[in-house]
Amino acid sequence: MRYLITGGAGFLGSHLVERLLLDGHNVICLDNFYTGTKDNLRNFIQNDQLEVIRGDVTEPFSFEVDAIMNLACPASPVHYQRFPVETTRTSVLGALNSLDLARKLDIPVFQASTSEVYGDPTVSPQNETYWGNVNPIGIRSCYDEGKRAAETLYMDYNRQYGTKIRIARIFNTYGPRMSVNDGRVVSNFIVQALQNQPITIYGDGSQTRSFCYVTDLIDAFVRMMKLEGSLVGPINLGNPSEFTILQLAEKIIELTGSRSPIEFELLPSDDPKQRKPDISLASSALGWKPSVELNEGLTKTIEYFKEKISKAN
Ligand code: NAD
Ligand code: UDP
């Protein structure tokens, strides 16, 4: 098959591209390189089955492909909040342009949605029937509401035009190829720990997240694309093991043998207090559950950053 992967030069996108190439598919990667880099594709950029194209999903695009997977959108709060208008534009117009091409070609289209559609959830764990608790006018809204609008468009294209859609609600995922300056918690803490710099905990560290290793997530993406039948709604994808941010910091200090002190900084507004996926639907519909535990995933990620930092010095 020939896949169009938008955002294919980013963290998740590059792992998805790699997996699809390994499975023998042809891949077109469309990316504006805002947070992604060609370096993420370095190991397979020479592969004849891969085409890398600089382009922005906010502009209409057209390629002869058999499936589209729309991952284009900055995912780190630091990067999506830097240009919030562009973030909403990317989510909404990127969804529309992906859906229009899928409708025209009558092919499946996949949306990388997010646990952020649940906002600061008042129920835990979160399952797909929960409507969420989202501030529409806060600093996270460009991302949260952009992704919620994208889900609306996917569901309406399905209801109105019969477009074949897949929506993955992705919970915090980490691993190699996150950038050193990505700004998300796992990469920040590892980079700080490896350099014996203070670990910056926002708030008191009691907020929770559930961390999924990247290869587990990509396996679920592939299963979703193979899904036949009547399931059209969103599916939670993530690892249900829940940790406080303080526990994460302590774990990373231990695994790196770091001398970093912990520093507590101001908690940004609307930062969700808890997040834990209910993955019963993914389990029953896809036969999927994550297999990489946090210690193992962190160890691999730490190895990646060690090499990355030593090359930069
Ligand atoms: P990332 O920032 O590493 O990758 C995003 C990619 O999209 C980058 O390559 C970037 O250059 C590209 N991009 C951004 N705006 C674009 C535009 N207008 N046109 C074309 N390309 C554009 O982030 P990631 O972690 O790889 O996330 C990928 C997708 O998965 C995003 O849609 C994100 O919202 C979603 N997601 C990720 C997570 C996670 O934990 N990693 C969780 C929930 C949702
Ligand atoms: N966080 C932190 N220190 C950092 C980066 C993030 O304490 O250097 C916290 C952040 O406030 C949030 C959690 O870690 O509570 C996860 O943040 P991230 O940006 O990775 O993703 P989010 O789930 O908030 O989108």
Side-chain angles (χ1 to χ4, degrees), residues 126-200:
Q126 297 82 51
N127 73 26
E128 292 84 353
T129 59
Y130 179 51
W131 289 356
N133 177 35
V134 178
N135 177 358
I137 54 168
I139 57 170
R140 295 176 85 97
S141 312
C142 57
Y143 185 74
D144 299 11
E145 297 289 17
K147 291 284 187 178
R148 284 168 69 97
E151 285 200 10
T152 306
L153 283 165
Y154 270 69
M155 293 304 290
D156 282 336
Y157 266 66
N158 176 265
R159 283 186 285 252
Q160 198 172 331
Y161 305 125
T163 309
K164 300 174 200 123
I165 61 158
R166 311 274 191 278
I167 302 171
R169 284 190 182 155
I170 306 162
F171 286 65
N172 300 62
T173 301
Y174 68 99
R177 300 203 196 119
M178 296 185 91
S179 75
V180 168
N181 66 357
D182 179 273
R184 282 176 277 185
V185 69
V186 174
S187 47
N188 269 10
F189 285 3
I190 292 178
V191 170
Q192 291 162 346
L194 288 174
Q195 300 179 325
N196 294 309
Q197 287 168 355
I199 305 280
T200 54

Side-chain angles (χ1 to χ4, degrees), residues 178 187 190-191 194 301-309:
M178 296 185 91
S187 47
I190 292 178
V191 170
L194 288 174
T301 312
I302 289 165
E303 278 316 304
Y304 170 80
F305 278 108
K306 256 189 203 158
E307 206 184 309
K308 187 103 184 152
I309 290 169

Side-chain angles (χ1 to χ4, degrees), residues 20-288:
L20 293 172
L21 290 172
L22 275 174
D23 289 351
H25 299 292
N26 289 287
V27 178
I28 297 176
C29 161
L30 179 70
D31 203 295
N32 71 352
F33 303 112
Y34 172 44
T35 50
T37 60
K38 281 195 187 151
D39 194 51
N40 281 340
L41 304 168
R42 178 170 31 114
N43 295 345
F44 33 92
I45 203 141
Q46 305 294 354
N47 190 321
D48 290 341
Q49 283 162 258
L50 173 65
E51 282 174 74
V52 181
I53 294 168
R54 180 184 289 270
D56 199 303
V57 293
T58 59
E59 302 292 337
F61 46 84
S62 187
F63 301 98
E64 282 300 322
V65 287
D66 305 305
I68 303 169
M69 298 180 74
N70 181 36
L71 275 70
C73 187
S76 161
V78 174
H79 296 295
Y80 72 63
Q81 287 169 18
R82 180 173 300 130
F83 301 112
V85 175
E86 281 74 10
T87 299
T88 305
R89 208 191 287 279
T90 292
S91 264
V92 176
L93 295 180
L96 267 175
N97 289 326
S98 301
L99 286 160
D100 280 337
L101 182 59
R103 180 182 170 211
K104 185 174 97 182
L105 298 176
D106 191 24
I107 57 172
V109 56
F110 168 104
Q111 168 69 3
S113 188
T114 168
S115 52
E116 282 287 308
V117 299
Y118 301 123
D120 187 5
T122 54
V123 299
S124 193
Q126 297 82 51
N127 73 26
E128 292 84 353
T129 59
Y130 179 51
W131 289 356
N133 177 35
V134 178
N135 177 358
I137 54 168
I139 57 170
R140 295 176 85 97
S141 312
C142 57
Y143 185 74
D144 299 11
E145 297 289 17
K147 291 284 187 178
R148 284 168 69 97
E151 285 200 10
T152 306
L153 283 165
Y154 270 69
M155 293 304 290
D156 282 336
Y157 266 66
N158 176 265
R159 283 186 285 252
Q160 198 172 331
Y161 305 125
T163 309
K164 300 174 200 123
I165 61 158
R166 311 274 191 278
I167 302 171
R169 284 190 182 155
I170 306 162
F171 286 65
N172 300 62
T173 301
Y174 68 99
R177 300 203 196 119
M178 296 185 91
S179 75
V180 168
N181 66 357
D182 179 273
R184 282 176 277 185
V185 69
V186 174
S187 47
N188 269 10
F189 285 3
I190 292 178
V191 170
Q192 291 162 346
L194 288 174
Q195 300 179 325
N196 294 309
Q197 287 168 355
I199 305 280
T200 54
I201 291 188
Y202 305 155
D204 63 6
S206 63
Q207 70 272 36
T208 68
R209 294 293 186 274
S210 306
F211 299 101
C212 185
Y213 189 66
V214 61
T215 49
D216 278 336
L217 184 80
I218 300 301
D219 183 46
F221 282 10
V222 169
R223 286 169 191 253
M224 277 184 76
M225 293 312 283
K226 290 182 183 155
L227 199 59
E228 305 275 346
S230 55
L231 178 65
V232 290
I235 304 181
N236 284 345
L237 300 179
N239 189 321
S241 304
E242 187 180 20
F243 297 86
T244 67
I245 294 305
L246 181 59
Q247 283 172 327
L248 177 75
E250 286 166 346
K251 212 175 246 303
I252 289 175
I253 289 174
E254 187 192 317
L255 289 171
T256 50
S258 173
R259 296 188 306 279
S260 291
I262 289 180
E263 267 182 19
F264 293 91
E265 297 187 358
L266 269 185
L267 186 70
S269 58
D270 297 334
D271 199 289
K273 284 181 273 310
Q274 56 180 351
R275 193 181 282 152
K276 174 184 167 76
D278 177 336
I279 57 164
S280 325
L281 182 59
S283 164
S284 62
L286 308 174
W288 175 84

